[in-house]
Amino acid sequence: MASRKKNNLYWPFAPTKVRLNNNTDLLKLIAMITMFCDHAGKMLFPHYPVMRMIGRLAFPIYAYCIAVGCVYTKDPLRYLKRIVLMALICQPIYAVSMAHTTAAMYSISFAEHPVRAAINFYVQSWHHPSIFVALAFGIILIWALRNRQIILFIGVALLCWKIKAGLDYGWKGLVLMLLFYCFCDRPILAVLASGAFMAWWGLQGTQYSLFGIRFQLQMYMILSLIPIAIPMQRRMKLNKWVFYAFYPGHLALIYVLDHFVFH
């Protein structure tokens, strides 16, 4: 009886509908294009800062898609497994293509000890994890919140706070995922809450200036709310493996262009 009563209690952190843009395949395509612009701008065209500005749209869109996925998925564990698998596969190429290599990665000679060197290279590449690690933690936090696993939620949140320096976009990226999830069925509140958070985030630096207001590159994240908030009537179907294949594929392309074409 007590269990039934508990289950009937209102829990505001378990939305069943998304009243923002449900066309996540189109959003993922936008995220892929803007992510490529961001990474290419960093590695190939650093003299074109507009590419990094465009690239700021990628992460919020991915964060939103994670939130939507957590609302509709019937198997969060399977969803999490795919993200973790991508993190494990893509980490070395991410470290190499985005210039996150260190001397420790090459401390063992590949010529003399190829197996040990490969293992060391892989392990040491994790000093700067890819975005998939942050996305995986976001899924865990959302799942724990949705299922009232408060102790798990607090434990994972504390862990993320402790390792925030090693997470792409730090703790702020996780908060953005949670905001999109919690308010996805309340469009106006979702835009206001996520927009205010991204604006605050952008004001944490002084790299750019507009109308006397100084801000950092992350301020351009706010532009991502345009495709996120506007419902798209025409549905687009994108095979999920296209997204997963694109990530290592675009990193490999950037590496080849950086070392053999633009070098």
Side-chain angles (χ1 to χ4, degrees):
M1 183 69 68
S3 176
R4 184 180 300 174
K5 184 178 180 181
K6 178 181 177 181
N7 291 335
N8 288 334
L9 291 176
Y10 174 68
W11 184 247
F13 305 115
T16 57
K17 291 184 178 179
V18 175
R19 292 189 170 89
L20 294 163
N21 191 354
N22 270 297
N23 196 346
T24 53
D25 284 346
L26 176 59
L27 289 174
K28 288 176 183 178
L29 180 61
I30 295 172
M32 287 189 290
I33 294 171
T34 54
M35 178 176 63
F36 183 81
C37 285
D38 185 41
H39 290 166
K42 176 185 176 182
M43 302 305 301
L44 307 177
F45 307 104
H47 45 291
Y48 293 121
V50 67
M51 296 186 70
R52 303 302 309 278
M53 297 175 188
I54 294 173
R56 294 308 92 200
L57 277 68
F59 175 73
I61 293 177
Y62 281 132
Y64 172 76
C65 290
I66 287 290
V68 174
C70 287
V71 171
Y72 289 126
T73 184
K74 297 180 180 179
D75 191 349
L77 182 58
R78 187 177 180 183
Y79 191 25
L80 177 62
K81 285 179 179 177
R82 287 201 300 265
I83 297 297
V84 171
L85 179 62
M86 288 301 299
L88 294 173
I89 293 173
C90 296
Q91 182 57 38
I93 188 172
Y94 169 75
V96 171
S97 61
M98 292 291 103
H100 293 311
T101 56
T102 63
M105 294 173 64
Y106 301 96
S107 60
I108 299 178
S109 171
F110 277 87
E112 297 178 5
H113 307 285
V115 176
R116 284 178 55 200
I119 295 174
N120 176 76
F121 184 89
Y122 181 83
V123 171
Q124 294 296 334
S125 71
W126 283 91
H127 80 283
H128 194 297
S130 73
I131 189 61
F132 283 105
V133 174
L135 296 180
F137 274 116
I139 293 173
I140 296 172
L141 287 169
I142 291 173
W143 178 87
L145 190 64
R146 186 181 77 174
N147 290 278
R148 309 186 190 191
Q149 303 294 325
I150 304 303
I151 295 177
L152 175 62
F153 178 85
I154 294 173
V156 174
L158 290 174
L159 173 62
C160 291
W161 178 261
K162 185 176 180 62
I163 64 171
K164 60 182 181 296
L167 295 176
D168 213 0
Y169 293 97
W171 65 269
K172 300 183 186 74
L174 300 176
V175 171
L176 187 59
M177 284 184 247
L178 288 169
L179 286 174
F180 279 135
Y181 172 76
C182 291
F183 301 124
C184 64
D185 58 345
R186 286 161 279 183
I188 296 177
L189 192 55
V191 171
L192 291 176
S194 58
F197 182 74
M198 285 188 277
W200 171 82
W201 190 346
L203 290 172
Q204 303 306 303
T206 58
Q207 186 178 1
Y208 299 91
S209 177
L210 183 65
F211 302 122
I213 301 174
R214 302 196 65 82
F215 55 92
Q216 64 167 318
L217 186 63
Q218 304 298 354
M219 182 65 79
Y220 293 97
M221 282 183 165
I222 294 178
L223 297 175
S224 66
L225 289 175
I226 298 174
I228 288 173
I230 299 176
M232 306 290 183
Q233 297 300 322
R234 180 172 295 179
R235 299 293 297 177
M236 176 182 179
K237 297 299 293 182
L238 183 68
N239 188 290
K240 64 184 178 183
W241 294 111
V242 172
F243 159 67
Y244 292 120
F246 176 83
Y247 190 81
H250 94 280
L251 291 177
L253 176 61
I254 288 175
Y255 178 83
V256 170
L257 293 175
D258 186 29
H259 287 76
F260 301 103
V261 178
F262 293 92
H263 188 67

